[in-house]
Amino acid sequence: MKKLKVLLIGILAIIVILFFTSRHMRTAQGHTSGNTLTIYNWGDYIDPELIGKFEDQTGYKVSYETFDSNEAMFTKIKQGGTSYDLTIPSEYMIQKMMKEDMLHKLDYSKIKGIEAIDPRFMDLDFDPDNQYSIPYFWGTLGIVYNDKQFSEDDIQHWDDLWKPELHDSLMLIDGAREVIGLALNSNGQSLNSTDKDELLAASKKLSTLTDNVKAIVADEIKMYMINEEASVAVTFSGEAAEMVDSNEHLHYVIPSEGSNLWFDNIVIPKTAKNIDGAYDFINFMLEPENAAQNAEYIGYATPNKEAMAIMPEEITSDEQFYPSDETVNNLEVYEDLGLEYLGIYNDLFLEFKMHRN
């Protein structure tokens, strides 16, 4: 009996030693819950040097994960598991997360530098008074073309994508709202349409585009276009900016009949554990020099007017990526269409992809 008691005490002592050793090691590596900030962002959507700078300035250790669609981000946060302190969804998804009570209401007494944001990007319909979100980047959806194969006059409108000369040349971004939306716009309709006849007409028109489609991909579009493995692509303005910067033969066009105007904003999910760290990161990214560095690295348009003031004029005056108010006024922001129509858009897009195969 005495031997058993000694054995149990020994096992208990080992467990205690292992617990404190593990805790000490995690602390030494900066992984305590108090100083770790967990960020969930789009892929390639922040200058990595800024994360290091933030860690150096604040002492936080950043745990950084990425997603490739608003829907994937929503599902992962909804399911729980990882406690993300910050994420950066697009406007229609922010609406959806607000409706489902997934976001912390912002405490503006903890936010410094919000006056740097251009008023044009505040108080928008998807989040009146910016109660839940802080602007991060904004941009458009458009067409990139290579001038070795096509002239400026060849590629200006969505309908140009259907030209026979584009046979097996077109890359499409892998997004249901984007692809169904461009077909709706090409028919003169809203990319937020919930008219089933309009959606079926868009789907029918898309089925005639398949011979021109070389691939439907995500971030890989940049590599294909820069390496001239495709001559035309439908993509987002920031992706296009990197392509244009890397290959002088590439150009970006926003179709005059309309397209998507999008906004990505920083939000704090209710799953957040490090609220103070989340505010510190928001304040860090609002600082004009940090916002400017990020915009120059990523290529998307910054909503931070003080950052724009210190950025090179050749960037901020480029209307491909900082379009005029006249162009912007002709664009549409995605609306949260609800579960039923999200399913319809996804089903039509899936049919298009299957038909293509």
Side-chain angles (χ1 to χ4, degrees), residues 261-276:
L261 172 68
W262 55 261
F263 304 94
D264 287 344
N265 284 19
I266 305 175
V267 299
I268 304 176
K270 283 201 167 174
T271 55
K273 299 294 184 188
N274 191 348
I275 302 292
D276 288 340

Side-chain angles (χ1 to χ4, degrees), residues 144-316:
V144 175
Y145 69 91
N146 189 314
D147 64 19
K148 288 182 179 178
Q149 285 82 31
F150 300 101
S151 71
E152 181 179 351
D153 292 338
D154 290 331
I155 308 291
Q156 288 294 317
H157 304 283
W158 291 124
D159 270 345
D160 291 332
L161 302 181
W162 274 263
K163 288 180 175 177
E165 302 93 293
L166 269 69
H167 180 76
D168 198 30
S169 301
L170 174 63
M171 312 285 291
L172 292 177
I173 192 76
D174 191 4
R177 293 295 300 266
E178 286 72 26
V179 174
I180 302 295
L182 76 84
L184 286 164
N185 277 164
S186 74
N187 284 338
Q189 293 148 358
S190 167
L191 49 71
N192 290 308
S193 177
T194 53
D195 182 313
K196 291 183 180 176
D197 289 336
E198 292 181 357
L199 289 167
L200 287 174
S203 176
K204 186 175 180 181
K205 185 169 183 176
L206 275 179
S207 69
T208 65
L209 184 64
T210 54
D211 286 347
N212 287 357
V213 178
K214 186 180 184 71
I216 301 173
V217 291
D219 292 341
E220 304 93 319
I221 283 183
K222 278 189 293 192
M223 176 190 68
Y224 285 120
M225 292 301 292
I226 292 170
N227 294 336
E228 302 188 348
E229 296 177 57
S231 51
V232 180
V234 173
T235 190
F236 298 107
S237 51
E239 303 291 292
E242 188 171 337
M243 297 177 203
V244 169
D245 189 51
S246 301
N247 187 325
E248 62 181 356
H249 293 288
L250 299 179
H251 308 273
Y252 181 67
V253 174
I254 304 170
S256 57
E257 57 272 27
S259 185
N260 171 228
L261 172 68
W262 55 261
F263 304 94
D264 287 344
N265 284 19
I266 305 175
V267 299
I268 304 176
K270 283 201 167 174
T271 55
K273 299 294 184 188
N274 191 348
I275 302 292
D276 288 340
Y279 280 110
D280 286 340
F281 187 80
I282 289 172
N283 293 336
F284 176 82
M285 293 309 301
L286 282 172
E287 291 178 20
E289 61 270 27
N290 295 334
Q293 179 179 334
N294 206 28
E296 288 187 52
Y297 177 84
I298 299 297
Y300 282 109
T302 178
N304 190 313
K305 64 181 190 299
E306 294 182 16
M308 285 185 66
I310 58 177
M311 291 169 62
E313 187 178 355
E314 65 185 68
I315 294 177
T316 57

Side-chain angles (χ1 to χ4, degrees), residues 90-101:
S90 304
E91 66 298 306
Y92 73 97
M93 190 54 70
I94 292 172
Q95 273 186 313
K96 184 177 176 65
M97 296 175 84
M98 287 164 57
K99 285 179 186 174
E100 303 214 10
D101 195 27

Side-chain angles (χ1 to χ4, degrees), residues 117-124 138 263 308 322-325 328:
I117 300 295
D118 188 325
R120 291 184 301 155
F121 303 107
M122 299 290 289
D123 194 26
L124 298 178
W138 67 282
F263 304 94
M308 285 185 66
Y322 286 86
S324 66
D325 287 346
V328 167

